[in-house]
Amino acid sequence: MEENEEVEKTPLTDTVVYICIIAGSAGLMYGYDTAVSGGVMMMKPFLKKFFPAILLKMIDNDMKQDQYCRFNSHRLTAFISSMFIAGLVSSLLAGRVTSLIGRKFSLITSGILFLTGNGLEVFAQNLAMLIAGRLFVGFGVGFANQAAPVYITEMAPSKWRGTLNTAFQFFVCCGSVLASIINFGASHSNTNLGWRLALGYASLPATLLIVGAIFIPDTPSSLIQRDKLDEALTTLSRVRSTKAEAEAELKDLVSSTEATKLNTQNPYLKILELRYRPQLILTVAIAGFQQLTGVGMVALYAPVVMRTIGMGTEESLLAAVVIGFVNLVSVLMSTCMVDKIGRRFLFIGGGIQIIFSQVFIACTLAIQSQIVIEGFPKNYGVVVLVLMCLISSAFGWSWGPLTWLVPSEILPIEVRAAGTGISVATNLLITFILAQLSMAMLCYMKFGLFLFYGATTLLMTMVVGVFLPETKGVPLESMESVWNEHWFWKWVLSS
């Protein structure tokens, strides 16, 4: 399909870049929290206070102990996963709240919730207080992960929508790298408060988001939905190069919104209608599949996995830093490619790279287990680290940023907030399940766990290759046409 000529003429202004960076910085909270928690799990003072039984397993040199099962504790994984179940609940609420109060104030709300939870974590005196803090952090993450991609999608010019939307994943990666570095530094601390310091730094991204969001406008689409046409025109005039462009875009947005405002049906019920079936199915599939790449073993449990295969605590934390940097560089690659070669190519290419990497990790561990009975030699750890970097790289330029971009751009405005809420909730639900079960799966499946993730990645890559149409450069108000032209969805919608 040919791109709209006016879209091609729409330049990228400094103002829209600035405000999209502010919105994208919400990803810092998510990235930092997911990475810091996996590193904190390796710190002896933290384990001594909350999980002494795990600490005993770590310092036990009995070679009869199954290395794969050293961190198999549902109480320990609850520390990680509780954040995701709270995020699931809040992301569904955020869809409705975002429609009522706008994208901007949802971002501010997410920062406040995150700060509250972080304070409870840092000053936790028992496991109950620690988990309570994780739940509030999850509430904040749920709001942020729903509101930030939608904000960027609605604010960016169509030609630059993909590039600007990678800002969210870029900041997720920045947060992850920062957390890995702080974890490494905190592990060398001469005090028993290193884990509190590592967790406490998460307040900085939340504060940055709150302060930054105060000074950015709400999106034109959100303002139009709430009958604030003058404010919508003012916002468009700030982010587009000429007033004529702003007025023309406002006219298009008003036209696409007027019909939807006549329908007062609950958007969570409305999205179940046949006309939204393609968007809903792919939104849920992409969000759920993202975590079935096995990225959780890299993003959440990288230090634990590296410790399991024989590396020391410091080496494991340093390995997490390396993996984080690789992911960060790969997201920058996605920024350059997503609006040039399209979404489908990145999805499929990234999936293929992840499949091969997961299979080779499984083969490496399987061969090692047949050769060496007592412990894991370090050279195998280096091989596994390289392969995990390949997974992190592929995820960074494909499934990482595209999972937040594609649902927010394929959903029509009348169900966009609800649909992205469902997308985030699905993603966090799968993340919660896998985060809670990952250590048990590693214990019982051993190297077979990586074959499992290779198989699920193969399935999801095939689904995307067959059913996802290309949306590169398509204006949001014209997105419906891609479904009417797709061989399968055209048949579904006409049946």
Side-chain angles (χ1 to χ4, degrees):
M1 186 180 67
E2 295 184 1
E3 295 181 3
N4 189 303
E5 292 183 4
E6 291 302 318
V7 170
E8 289 289 344
K9 295 178 182 178
T10 303
L12 185 63
T13 63
D14 293 340
T15 303
V16 77
V17 171
Y18 165 74
I19 61 179
C20 286
I21 287 175
I22 294 296
S25 69
L28 276 173
M29 299 189 306
Y30 187 40
Y32 187 94
D33 190 78
T34 53
V36 78
S37 54
V40 164
M41 285 171 57
M42 304 297 299
M43 298 182 189
K44 292 181 180 179
F46 175 80
L47 293 173
K48 182 178 180 180
K49 185 171 184 63
F50 298 106
F51 308 98
I54 300 298
L55 181 59
L56 289 176
K57 288 184 180 181
M58 283 185 61
I59 62 179
D60 186 1
N61 293 320
D62 184 2
M63 291 301 180
K64 294 181 180 179
Q65 179 181 234
D66 191 338
Q67 302 292 328
Y68 286 103
C69 299
R70 182 171 285 178
F71 294 93
N72 183 20
S73 166
H74 289 299
R75 285 166 59 90
L76 182 63
T77 51
F79 164 66
I80 302 289
S81 63
S82 54
M83 185 267 281
F84 298 107
I85 196 66
L88 184 161
V89 174
S90 68
S91 61
L92 291 174
L93 295 175
R96 183 61 175 168
V97 173
T98 300
S99 295
L100 292 175
I101 67 174
R103 318 325 187 196
K104 168 181 175 175
F105 288 104
S106 290
L107 290 172
I108 295 173
T109 300
S110 72
I112 294 172
L113 289 169
F114 191 96
L115 271 179
T116 302
N118 186 244
L120 290 172
E121 283 183 311
V122 171
F123 296 103
Q125 298 301 317
N126 51 57
L127 184 59
M129 189 174 177
L130 184 69
I131 297 299
R134 297 291 294 166
L135 292 174
F136 271 96
V137 164
F139 293 145
V141 165
F143 268 86
N145 288 12
Q146 192 277 343
V150 172
Y151 183 99
I152 298 172
T153 294
E154 293 182 346
M155 195 65 80
S158 297
K159 182 180 178 181
W160 301 97
R161 190 170 60 239
T163 298
L164 290 174
N165 230 295
T166 59
F168 181 78
Q169 185 65 26
F170 173 77
F171 279 110
V172 170
C173 296
C174 286
S176 178
V177 171
L178 180 62
S180 298
I181 294 173
I182 290 176
N183 278 336
F184 184 73
S187 69
H188 289 79
S189 174
N190 294 324
T191 174
N192 290 331
L193 301 179
W195 66 271
R196 294 189 190 272
L197 179 67
L199 290 175
Y201 274 114
S203 62
L204 296 180
T207 302
L208 175 65
L209 176 64
I210 294 171
V211 174
I214 291 174
F215 296 100
I216 62 175
D218 209 341
T219 68
S221 295
S222 177
L223 292 168
I224 292 170
Q225 278 187 307
R226 290 176 288 139
D227 296 318
K228 299 181 179 181
L229 298 185
D230 291 339
E231 290 184 40
L233 179 59
T234 301
T235 297
L236 281 171
S237 299
R238 287 180 59 185
V239 299
R240 301 296 182 253
S241 59
T242 66
K243 187 174 181 179
E245 283 182 3
E247 292 175 343
E249 186 168 343
L250 178 67
K251 183 179 179 180
D252 290 338
L253 290 172
V254 169
S255 297
S256 63
T257 304
E258 281 180 350
T260 66
K261 292 176 67 175
L262 297 175
N263 193 320
T264 59
Q265 185 179 1
N266 187 306
Y268 285 104
L269 295 176
K270 188 175 182 62
I271 199 172
L272 298 177
E273 295 176 4
L274 177 62
R275 60 180 294 196
Y276 305 114
R277 191 70 48 78
Q279 297 95 323
L280 177 61
I281 290 174
L282 283 170
T283 290
V284 171
I286 290 171
F289 278 149
Q290 186 203 49
Q291 291 302 312
L292 291 174
T293 57
V295 70
M297 298 301 293
V298 178
L300 297 177
Y301 293 120
V304 175
V305 172
M306 303 312 296
R307 184 74 172 83
T308 297
I309 63 175
M311 289 189 173
T313 299
E314 291 185 6
E315 292 171 315
S316 300
L317 293 173
L318 185 59
V321 175
V322 174
I323 292 170
F325 270 112
V326 169
N327 190 234
L328 181 61
V329 172
S330 65
V331 172
L332 293 176
M333 292 172 56
S334 178
T335 301
C336 300
M337 296 187 296
V338 66
D339 282 321
K340 293 182 179 179
I341 63 178
R343 285 61 159 152
R344 281 169 46 84
F345 180 87
L346 295 182
F347 265 131
I348 296 170
I352 292 172
Q353 183 172 321
I354 291 171
I355 293 167
F356 279 101
S357 300
Q358 294 284 16
V359 170
F360 277 114
I361 288 178
C363 291
T364 300
L365 295 180
I367 293 171
Q368 180 279 329
S369 66
Q370 296 299 315
I371 298 174
V372 181
I373 303 299
E374 297 182 352
F376 290 79
K378 289 188 178 181
N379 58 323
Y380 283 93
V382 173
V383 173
V384 172
L385 173 59
V386 171
L387 292 170
M388 290 182 75
C389 284
L390 288 175
I391 294 173
S392 182
S393 169
F395 185 83
W397 55 259
S398 61
W399 284 86
L402 293 179
T403 297
W404 309 114
L405 165 63
V406 173
S408 65
E409 69 179 359
I410 65 176
L411 290 161
I413 186 173
E414 63 269 23
V415 293
R416 187 173 298 146
T420 52
I422 293 172
S423 173
V424 174
T426 302
N427 183 268
L428 292 175
L429 174 62
I430 301 299
T431 306
F432 164 74
I433 294 172
L434 294 177
Q436 184 63 36
L437 299 180
S438 285
M439 293 298 98
M441 294 169 70
L442 182 62
C443 177
Y444 294 108
M445 298 175 68
K446 298 179 172 56
F447 61 82
L449 176 60
F450 299 95
L451 291 177
F452 167 77
Y453 283 128
T456 54
T457 305
L458 174 62
L459 172 63
M460 70 191 201
T461 301
M462 293 172 60
V463 169
V464 166
V466 173
F467 297 110
L468 180 67
E470 182 56 65
T471 55
K472 179 189 70 170
V474 180
L476 295 181
E477 60 271 18
S478 304
M479 194 65 69
E480 185 177 355
S481 62
V482 302
W483 309 104
N484 295 326
E485 296 172 4
H486 188 273
W487 68 273
F488 178 77
W489 298 119
K490 176 171 60 176
W491 172 75
V492 170
L493 293 172
S494 62
S495 62

